[in-house]
Each structure stands twice: as structure tokens, then as C-alpha cells.
Amino acid sequence: MIMKMNGKKRKGKRVAAFLAALFVAFSCLPIDFGIQEVVEAAKASQGTALLRILSTTDLHGQGTTYSYDSASIHKNGSLAQLATVIKQKKAEITEGNNGNTLLVDCGDTIFGYGAAAQLAGNVSGAQYMFEEMMAMGYDAITLGNHDFDYGMSYIRQATEEAGITNKIVLGNVWDAQSKQKIWTNSKIISKTMTTTAGKKKTVKIGLLGCTVPALSSVTSSKGIAETQDMIDYVEENVDAIREKGADLVVVLAHAGIGSDTDPVDRFDNVGYQLIHIDGVDVVCCGHSHMNFPSADEKTAYFYKCKGVDAETGLVDGKVLVQEADHGQALGITDLTLAFGSDSVSISQRKVSVEKITEDVAEDPDVLAVDSNYRAQFEELFYAGKAELDANANNYFGMIEDNGLIQLCNEAKLAYGKRIVAEKAPEYVNFPLIAFSDHKMAGENGGDDYLSIDGNLTVKDLLNMEVFAQEHIKVYYITGEQLREVIEWLAASCYLEPGMQQLENWSNPTTKNLVDSQGLCPVLSSDWESWTGLGVFDGVEYTIDTSIKPRYDRTGYKVINDTHRVTSLTCNGTPVDDKQVLVLVSKGISAGVWPNIGAKLKKQLIVPKTERLVDVLEDYVQQRAAGGSIHLSADNNWHVDFVQGGNYLVKSSEKSEEEAAAKPWYVQEVLRENGYAYYQAQFGDA
């Protein structure tokens, strides 16, 4: 029912609002303030209004839940889902409700297979991510380092074709020849709103934008663009934009939140330093793929920094906000603005991050733009690259070698042999080994396993090696280091019988089978999802699951002074701790391999060159030149399970026929939600 308010009631509401505004004004005055000053202050008070800043970052080509990096569905993050939530958040803060909104993004918008396919001319049209952002009505964006991965000319062309160039604020990048800024150095956006006192007021929002000075690590901009330190840029421009009339200043920084470390590493993670620059009111961050403020473990360290309020998320009373990558979250900053007759100030600040969940619907406007590209991408994804002489899968890749991950390692070994000879010949006589990890291992449903019907497609290759920014690198590694990594990535996942009741099972079906039938899952609760489980080729190794695991799931912590790797050989000869081997792998860092990553990073002998998936595709096509490809695992690794133990093996329900042929198979105990659960007993090693 719509009720019509009469004139007296409307007048009463205006009087109440005016009195409330007077109360706010009076409460801020000193006790000895004179009556004339009180009257003048009352005249100056024009009420309050709410400015809501909605921020996104690091979308990485994830326009919809259909990922163009993997040709598969990821339901908990996309620009289309963000758009749905953004519309809801905007509707809460409308002009009639004493407010207005500002929608911004902090870069790394384009990325991966989608951008590469467009750059190669395989998909026509404007850059789809920028076109979708235009449909959403972004007020301003800045650019991230990965936006430059495809070259300076491409990013300039892509933004122009999508019509988003005038939305870009990026002041710490300029043309190397003309010395002129390539994009807008700073911008003032005006937002009009109705205050609680019924006054129409306009706030002028000053925007500064900056990005990682090194720009891309993939495509060089040397001689094309020059850059400036982000802190220096903001310090030099904040007063100037205030002088131009900005009532408040928001920094869009493709920079991580960083820390209070002194001296500061000024390369990329400088959000903490930016928020402490005088004149800056809000810093929207990106780059480091985390949510702040949040209870996420990834950002727990930041709450230990000086001035960070654990309760409000404010940093020395100001707003620093960042959202996770691939559209997984939306930053929400609410600023209560107090207006005078010719002034505006921030009287209250509130900040939060809202995570995108699987049940968030996709916005039809974004889907409509994406529909112009979807069919073109699908045609690419299902293009055949080779014929296999038999079907292949990784249904039981957690307990035995398989031909698909063997293929990934064979491609790396072939590439490593060539590239070492070309670029690091001093290592050509050292043993060559390769590492690959599983990408699809049932984490996202019963169909989330690799299963190829004989026709190997681009989609299959993208699911075997993540496209994104994964490039091959070559390191030297000692025998001792190799053993430690195998202990973590290949051996720590297994559970010994008798321990299953002590585990914290997140899957209720697993817990029920443990409790009701006493079955012991082959994998511990920390490894229920075995995505990331590693396989090494070029060496042979045996894992004894009767020994307690050495590492926890993260690889950061040694939990037992034990070694499950009971045998490690290279061509049948035991690997000595001091022996040097050459490792061909994805890029390794302390964050990727925490136990030895920092050391291995210094042992790089061939920097990243080709993408992993491109190397795999080249290798597949070379083998396919001779006809259909035969895949076979060399079974260079083996897991010794406890004899007589009643184990539980979980896989796709489509694995039934293959499971029944395995020597460990006892029976299928349950089929549910696309998964099959098998009772297993393992015999002699």
C-alpha cells in the first residue's frame, strides 16, 4: 500500500531533519561558544549525505562465470555477478535516500587466453572486459601491470575501441618520446545528492590513479613508456587536485596493501604508505589478490600493522580497501559527508568487503555483451589438436601415475632439453627433471576431472596447464631440496589407517562413511581436494604412508621429523643430497613453494619464456604429426599403502568401469552428487 503524506507531515519531517542537523552542529561546538556563533553555525549546517564507493580489481578476464582461461564454469566470481550486487548496492544509496555512488576499478582487467585470442585475431570485436565495464557504468578505472602484457599499442587500441579511454586515470605513466601523459593524470568527478536537511549539494571527488612502475614483466615498454614511483606520484598530485576544487581525494592504486615496513619496498605493495599521505581520504588497492578488511587468513598479518583497527578495518581512521581477484568480492566504502553552506567534510567512515557466492545471479546486461564473444571462444576451445589412440583420464591420479600428467611432464622435458642447450649449456650434462601438478581433481564437482574421449582439444590443454600467466622456468635444484618438495607436494597428502576419526572432514559424505563403515580415505582432510598434488618425472620415488607426513598442507610447517620418501633415484641411482639436477617447472617463489621457494628463486638458470600451455600444445602437435598419440604412464612413482587397510577412494561416478578393473578395487559403496566412493585394499608394494 502506498500512503500519501499530507503537507503537515511533510513539513514536520523537514523540521525534524533541520533540528537533527542543528543538534549535530551544536554537539561539535566548544562549551563557551557564543549565541551569535551558534546561530551562524546553524545557518551553515546543510545536513549530511552518504557517498558510497564501490570498488573492484584484478578481474583478470573473468567477465562471466564461464571462464575463457579454462573453458569451464567458476560460479563464485565474475564481473557479471559483481554487476548484480553493484546494482543492489547502488539501489540502497539513491539520491532520494540522501546519497550517491561512485564505481571504480583498480586494474588487471584483461588477462589470459581471452585477451591473447583477441590479440591474435582469433576473436573479433572490442576487448570484451572493457566493453562489459562500459555497460555497467564505471565512473573511473586505472590499469594494472597485466593490462600491459600484450604491449602498449594493444592496451591503447583496446581501451579506445571499447570507448573506455576517458574513464582511465593513470598518472604515473607517460610517453617516453613526447614526455606527455598517455592517460588522464587526475580527474574530478562531481556527484549531486540531497542532504538530510533537504538541500541539493554537490561533492567533488578527486581521483588519482597509479600502477606498478615496472608495468608488465612479459612485454617490455622500454623506450615506449616511462613511469614514476607510486608514492612520489600521489605526493606530488594530492595538493594540486585539492587546489582544483576536490572536496575529497580517492586514490585508485594497482598496488597491494603492503605493510608498515620501514624502509619501504616501493615496487608494488604500497597501499599502507599511500593512505598515510596527507590529503588522501581513501585508497582502493589491487594487485595482491586479497580481501581487506576481512577475516581471511591471507590478510591476518596486516592487522598487526600500526594504526590498523581490527574492529572497523580503518587504517589510522582512513579507508584502505582491496578485493580478491577474478570478481570474487566487492569493496564497499561508505562516507558520511557533512555539508556547510560552502564546505563539505567527512564525518564518518565505514568500509567492508562483500564476497561473491555461488548463488549470486549474473547480470543480464553483462551477459548480453558477452554473448557477442561466447560462440567465437567456444569454437576455439573445441578445436581438435590431436587424436589419442585411446580415451584418457586422471580419475585416480591421487594414487597412481597417469598418461595425461605424464604428457605435461614429457612436454617440459623436451622443451627443457632444447632451451638448456641454447641458453644454459653449462648445465646440459646434469639430470633433467620436470614437475607438473593436477589442475582438475574433483574440487568443483563430479565432472571436475580430466576425461578425454580421444580427441584432444584446446579446452583439454587449458585444463591440463593453466594458461593465465604460467610460464616455464628452468632452475638448478639439489637432491636435498628435491626430496623436501616431494615430501610436501607428493607425499604429505596420504592418511594412515586408524587416523581417520581424528580428521576434520568438510565433506559430510566422507565423514559418514568414516563413521558408519570405518573406511579410511586415502587422502587426509586437508587434501580432500587434491588439486595441486605434484608429480615429478626424470626421477623415481616411493612414498610410505605408514610413516607420518613431514609437512602440513600449506608447506610452511614441518609437523613431524619424518620422511615418507623412502626411495629417491635418478635412472636407478640414489639421488645424493648435494647432487645438482635441472628442474623444468612453472615459476617458483616463496609463496608457491614455501619450504624452498625463496632459495630456488635464486637458482634460476633460464628465465620464463613460453607459456606452459603453449609448450604443451607445440609438443602435442609435434607428436600428432606422426598420427594418433599413444599415452602411457611410466609409473616412476609409487605409493605404499598399509596392507589390510580398508581405504576409501573418491572419484567421478564415470570412473566405475575403470575402478572395477583395478587390483585394489573391493566394491563401490556409494554414488552421490556425481561422485563415486570405492572401498579399496592395497596389496604388496
Side-chain angles (χ1 to χ4, degrees), residues 489-508:
L489 277 177
S492 67
C493 60
Y494 302 104
L495 183 64
E496 62 269 33
M499 301 299 292
Q500 62 266 35
Q501 297 289 351
L502 303 179
E503 295 284 296
N504 182 23
W505 301 105
S506 61
N507 180 355

PDB file of all heavy atoms in Angstrom, residues 489-508:
ATOM      1  N   LEU A 489      54.697 -31.850  -1.620  1.00  0.00           N
ATOM      2  CA  LEU A 489      53.721 -31.809  -2.702  1.00  0.00           C
ATOM      3  C   LEU A 489      53.261 -33.184  -3.165  1.00  0.00           C
ATOM      4  O   LEU A 489      52.218 -33.295  -3.812  1.00  0.00           O
ATOM      5  CB  LEU A 489      54.298 -31.047  -3.901  1.00  0.00           C
ATOM      6  CG  LEU A 489      54.202 -29.519  -3.845  1.00  0.00           C
ATOM      7  CD1 LEU A 489      54.866 -28.900  -5.057  1.00  0.00           C
ATOM      8  CD2 LEU A 489      52.747 -29.078  -3.758  1.00  0.00           C
ATOM      9  N   ALA A 490      54.023 -34.225  -2.889  1.00  0.00           N
ATOM     10  CA  ALA A 490      53.654 -35.549  -3.372  1.00  0.00           C
ATOM     11  C   ALA A 490      53.372 -36.547  -2.265  1.00  0.00           C
ATOM     12  O   ALA A 490      52.648 -37.518  -2.480  1.00  0.00           O
ATOM     13  CB  ALA A 490      54.765 -36.102  -4.276  1.00  0.00           C
ATOM     14  N   ALA A 491      53.907 -36.306  -1.064  1.00  0.00           N
ATOM     15  CA  ALA A 491      53.828 -37.350  -0.035  1.00  0.00           C
ATOM     16  C   ALA A 491      53.000 -36.981   1.186  1.00  0.00           C
ATOM     17  O   ALA A 491      52.576 -37.870   1.935  1.00  0.00           O
ATOM     18  CB  ALA A 491      55.248 -37.723   0.413  1.00  0.00           C
ATOM     19  N   SER A 492      52.755 -35.705   1.427  1.00  0.00           N
ATOM     20  CA  SER A 492      52.101 -35.305   2.683  1.00  0.00           C
ATOM     21  C   SER A 492      50.592 -35.510   2.671  1.00  0.00           C
ATOM     22  O   SER A 492      49.943 -35.379   3.703  1.00  0.00           O
ATOM     23  CB  SER A 492      52.402 -33.835   2.986  1.00  0.00           C
ATOM     24  OG  SER A 492      51.789 -33.003   2.015  1.00  0.00           O
ATOM     25  N   CYS A 493      50.025 -35.846   1.514  1.00  0.00           N
ATOM     26  CA  CYS A 493      48.567 -35.865   1.378  1.00  0.00           C
ATOM     27  C   CYS A 493      47.913 -37.135   1.922  1.00  0.00           C
ATOM     28  O   CYS A 493      46.708 -37.145   2.189  1.00  0.00           O
ATOM     29  CB  CYS A 493      48.183 -35.689  -0.091  1.00  0.00           C
ATOM     30  SG  CYS A 493      48.830 -36.982  -1.164  1.00  0.00           S
ATOM     31  N   TYR A 494      48.671 -38.201   2.124  1.00  0.00           N
ATOM     32  CA  TYR A 494      48.065 -39.504   2.419  1.00  0.00           C
ATOM     33  C   TYR A 494      47.794 -39.695   3.917  1.00  0.00           C
ATOM     34  O   TYR A 494      48.516 -39.198   4.770  1.00  0.00           O
ATOM     35  CB  TYR A 494      48.962 -40.626   1.892  1.00  0.00           C
ATOM     36  CG  TYR A 494      49.192 -40.504   0.408  1.00  0.00           C
ATOM     37  CD1 TYR A 494      50.406 -40.036  -0.102  1.00  0.00           C
ATOM     38  CD2 TYR A 494      48.174 -40.818  -0.494  1.00  0.00           C
ATOM     39  CE1 TYR A 494      50.599 -39.890  -1.467  1.00  0.00           C
ATOM     40  CE2 TYR A 494      48.368 -40.676  -1.861  1.00  0.00           C
ATOM     41  CZ  TYR A 494      49.582 -40.208  -2.347  1.00  0.00           C
ATOM     42  OH  TYR A 494      49.769 -40.060  -3.690  1.00  0.00           O
ATOM     43  N   LEU A 495      46.733 -40.459   4.193  1.00  0.00           N
ATOM     44  CA  LEU A 495      46.295 -40.689   5.573  1.00  0.00           C
ATOM     45  C   LEU A 495      46.499 -42.155   5.943  1.00  0.00           C
ATOM     46  O   LEU A 495      46.102 -43.054   5.201  1.00  0.00           O
ATOM     47  CB  LEU A 495      44.820 -40.325   5.713  1.00  0.00           C
ATOM     48  CG  LEU A 495      44.196 -40.431   7.111  1.00  0.00           C
ATOM     49  CD1 LEU A 495      44.852 -39.437   8.067  1.00  0.00           C
ATOM     50  CD2 LEU A 495      42.691 -40.189   7.039  1.00  0.00           C
ATOM     51  N   GLU A 496      47.128 -42.377   7.086  1.00  0.00           N
ATOM     52  CA  GLU A 496      47.353 -43.750   7.514  1.00  0.00           C
ATOM     53  C   GLU A 496      46.118 -44.293   8.250  1.00  0.00           C
ATOM     54  O   GLU A 496      45.449 -43.551   8.978  1.00  0.00           O
ATOM     55  CB  GLU A 496      48.589 -43.866   8.406  1.00  0.00           C
ATOM     56  CG  GLU A 496      48.531 -43.095   9.715  1.00  0.00           C
ATOM     57  CD  GLU A 496      49.094 -41.689   9.606  1.00  0.00           C
ATOM     58  OE1 GLU A 496      48.949 -41.068   8.524  1.00  0.00           O
ATOM     59  OE2 GLU A 496      49.647 -41.206  10.604  1.00  0.00           O
ATOM     60  N   PRO A 497      45.757 -45.561   8.035  1.00  0.00           N
ATOM     61  CA  PRO A 497      44.577 -46.144   8.702  1.00  0.00           C
ATOM     62  C   PRO A 497      44.647 -45.982  10.215  1.00  0.00           C
ATOM     63  O   PRO A 497      45.714 -46.065  10.824  1.00  0.00           O
ATOM     64  CB  PRO A 497      44.644 -47.623   8.296  1.00  0.00           C
ATOM     65  CG  PRO A 497      45.381 -47.627   7.002  1.00  0.00           C
ATOM     66  CD  PRO A 497      46.412 -46.539   7.150  1.00  0.00           C
ATOM     67  N   GLY A 498      43.487 -45.742  10.809  1.00  0.00           N
ATOM     68  CA  GLY A 498      43.407 -45.539  12.251  1.00  0.00           C
ATOM     69  C   GLY A 498      43.373 -44.076  12.639  1.00  0.00           C
ATOM     70  O   GLY A 498      43.009 -43.739  13.768  1.00  0.00           O
ATOM     71  N   MET A 499      43.728 -43.202  11.692  1.00  0.00           N
ATOM     72  CA  MET A 499      43.747 -41.767  11.987  1.00  0.00           C
ATOM     73  C   MET A 499      42.506 -41.045  11.468  1.00  0.00           C
ATOM     74  O   MET A 499      42.319 -39.864  11.739  1.00  0.00           O
ATOM     75  CB  MET A 499      44.995 -41.132  11.363  1.00  0.00           C
ATOM     76  CG  MET A 499      46.313 -41.729  11.847  1.00  0.00           C
ATOM     77  SD  MET A 499      46.555 -41.524  13.626  1.00  0.00           S
ATOM     78  CE  MET A 499      46.747 -39.741  13.716  1.00  0.00           C
ATOM     79  N   GLN A 500      41.652 -41.754  10.717  1.00  0.00           N
ATOM     80  CA  GLN A 500      40.541 -41.086  10.038  1.00  0.00           C
ATOM     81  C   GLN A 500      39.539 -40.458  10.997  1.00  0.00           C
ATOM     82  O   GLN A 500      38.919 -39.440  10.675  1.00  0.00           O
ATOM     83  CB  GLN A 500      39.829 -42.045   9.075  1.00  0.00           C
ATOM     84  CG  GLN A 500      39.183 -43.269   9.730  1.00  0.00           C
ATOM     85  CD  GLN A 500      40.096 -44.467   9.732  1.00  0.00           C
ATOM     86  OE1 GLN A 500      41.307 -44.325   9.875  1.00  0.00           O
ATOM     87  NE2 GLN A 500      39.525 -45.659   9.585  1.00  0.00           N
ATOM     88  N   GLN A 501      39.385 -41.042  12.177  1.00  0.00           N
ATOM     89  CA  GLN A 501      38.424 -40.493  13.141  1.00  0.00           C
ATOM     90  C   GLN A 501      38.896 -39.169  13.736  1.00  0.00           C
ATOM     91  O   GLN A 501      38.098 -38.417  14.298  1.00  0.00           O
ATOM     92  CB  GLN A 501      38.176 -41.512  14.265  1.00  0.00           C
ATOM     93  CG  GLN A 501      37.552 -42.819  13.807  1.00  0.00           C
ATOM     94  CD  GLN A 501      36.093 -42.669  13.404  1.00  0.00           C
ATOM     95  OE1 GLN A 501      35.486 -41.627  13.625  1.00  0.00           O
ATOM     96  NE2 GLN A 501      35.527 -43.709  12.805  1.00  0.00           N
ATOM     97  N   LEU A 502      40.171 -38.878  13.615  1.00  0.00           N
ATOM     98  CA  LEU A 502      40.723 -37.651  14.191  1.00  0.00           C
ATOM     99  C   LEU A 502      40.720 -36.491  13.206  1.00  0.00           C
ATOM    100  O   LEU A 502      41.031 -35.362  13.573  1.00  0.00           O
ATOM    101  CB  LEU A 502      42.163 -37.908  14.663  1.00  0.00           C
ATOM    102  CG  LEU A 502      42.351 -39.043  15.678  1.00  0.00           C
ATOM    103  CD1 LEU A 502      43.829 -39.193  16.016  1.00  0.00           C
ATOM    104  CD2 LEU A 502      41.528 -38.786  16.931  1.00  0.00           C
ATOM    105  N   GLU A 503      40.365 -36.784  11.958  1.00  0.00           N
ATOM    106  CA  GLU A 503      40.390 -35.755  10.918  1.00  0.00           C
ATOM    107  C   GLU A 503      39.123 -34.904  10.945  1.00  0.00           C
ATOM    108  O   GLU A 503      38.050 -35.342  11.395  1.00  0.00           O
ATOM    109  CB  GLU A 503      40.539 -36.409   9.548  1.00  0.00           C
ATOM    110  CG  GLU A 503      41.863 -37.140   9.340  1.00  0.00           C
ATOM    111  CD  GLU A 503      43.012 -36.182   9.084  1.00  0.00           C
ATOM    112  OE1 GLU A 503      42.992 -35.483   8.062  1.00  0.00           O
ATOM    113  OE2 GLU A 503      43.933 -36.132   9.919  1.00  0.00           O
ATOM    114  N   ASN A 504      39.238 -33.688  10.427  1.00  0.00           N
ATOM    115  CA  ASN A 504      38.095 -32.777  10.345  1.00  0.00           C
ATOM    116  C   ASN A 504      37.570 -32.783   8.911  1.00  0.00           C
ATOM    117  O   ASN A 504      38.002 -32.003   8.078  1.00  0.00           O
ATOM    118  CB  ASN A 504      38.526 -31.365  10.758  1.00  0.00           C
ATOM    119  CG  ASN A 504      37.370 -30.381  10.740  1.00  0.00           C
ATOM    120  OD1 ASN A 504      36.212 -30.768  10.841  1.00  0.00           O
ATOM    121  ND2 ASN A 504      37.690 -29.109  10.600  1.00  0.00           N
ATOM    122  N   TRP A 505      36.623 -33.670   8.623  1.00  0.00           N
ATOM    123  CA  TRP A 505      36.143 -33.853   7.258  1.00  0.00           C
ATOM    124  C   TRP A 505      35.115 -32.789   6.890  1.00  0.00           C
ATOM    125  O   TRP A 505      34.067 -32.683   7.530  1.00  0.00           O
ATOM    126  CB  TRP A 505      35.530 -35.245   7.088  1.00  0.00           C
ATOM    127  CG  TRP A 505      36.502 -36.341   7.394  1.00  0.00           C
ATOM    128  CD1 TRP A 505      36.533 -37.128   8.503  1.00  0.00           C
ATOM    129  CD2 TRP A 505      37.623 -36.723   6.594  1.00  0.00           C
ATOM    130  NE1 TRP A 505      37.596 -38.000   8.450  1.00  0.00           N
ATOM    131  CE2 TRP A 505      38.284 -37.773   7.280  1.00  0.00           C
ATOM    132  CE3 TRP A 505      38.128 -36.296   5.363  1.00  0.00           C
ATOM    133  CZ2 TRP A 505      39.422 -38.393   6.784  1.00  0.00           C
ATOM    134  CZ3 TRP A 505      39.258 -36.906   4.865  1.00  0.00           C
ATOM    135  CH2 TRP A 505      39.894 -37.939   5.559  1.00  0.00           C
ATOM    136  N   SER A 506      35.421 -31.998   5.868  1.00  0.00           N
ATOM    137  CA  SER A 506      34.481 -30.968   5.420  1.00  0.00           C
ATOM    138  C   SER A 506      33.375 -31.562   4.558  1.00  0.00           C
ATOM    139  O   SER A 506      32.285 -31.008   4.475  1.00  0.00           O
ATOM    140  CB  SER A 506      35.227 -29.886   4.631  1.00  0.00           C
ATOM    141  OG  SER A 506      35.851 -30.436   3.483  1.00  0.00           O
ATOM    142  N   ASN A 507      33.646 -32.697   3.923  1.00  0.00           N
ATOM    143  CA  ASN A 507      32.648 -33.374   3.100  1.00  0.00           C
ATOM    144  C   ASN A 507      31.822 -34.298   3.999  1.00  0.00           C
ATOM    145  O   ASN A 507      32.334 -35.289   4.520  1.00  0.00           O
ATOM    146  CB  ASN A 507      33.355 -34.181   2.005  1.00  0.00           C
ATOM    147  CG  ASN A 507      32.369 -34.912   1.094  1.00  0.00           C
ATOM    148  OD1 ASN A 507      31.171 -34.899   1.323  1.00  0.00           O
ATOM    149  ND2 ASN A 507      32.898 -35.562   0.067  1.00  0.00           N
ATOM    150  N   PRO A 508      30.521 -33.997   4.179  1.00  0.00           N
ATOM    151  CA  PRO A 508      29.708 -34.815   5.103  1.00  0.00           C
ATOM    152  C   PRO A 508      29.579 -36.271   4.653  1.00  0.00           C
ATOM    153  O   PRO A 508      29.434 -37.163   5.492  1.00  0.00           O
ATOM    154  CB  PRO A 508      28.347 -34.106   5.097  1.00  0.00           C
ATOM    155  CG  PRO A 508      28.335 -33.277   3.854  1.00  0.00           C
ATOM    156  CD  PRO A 508      29.753 -32.881   3.603  1.00  0.00           C
TER     157      PRO A 508
END
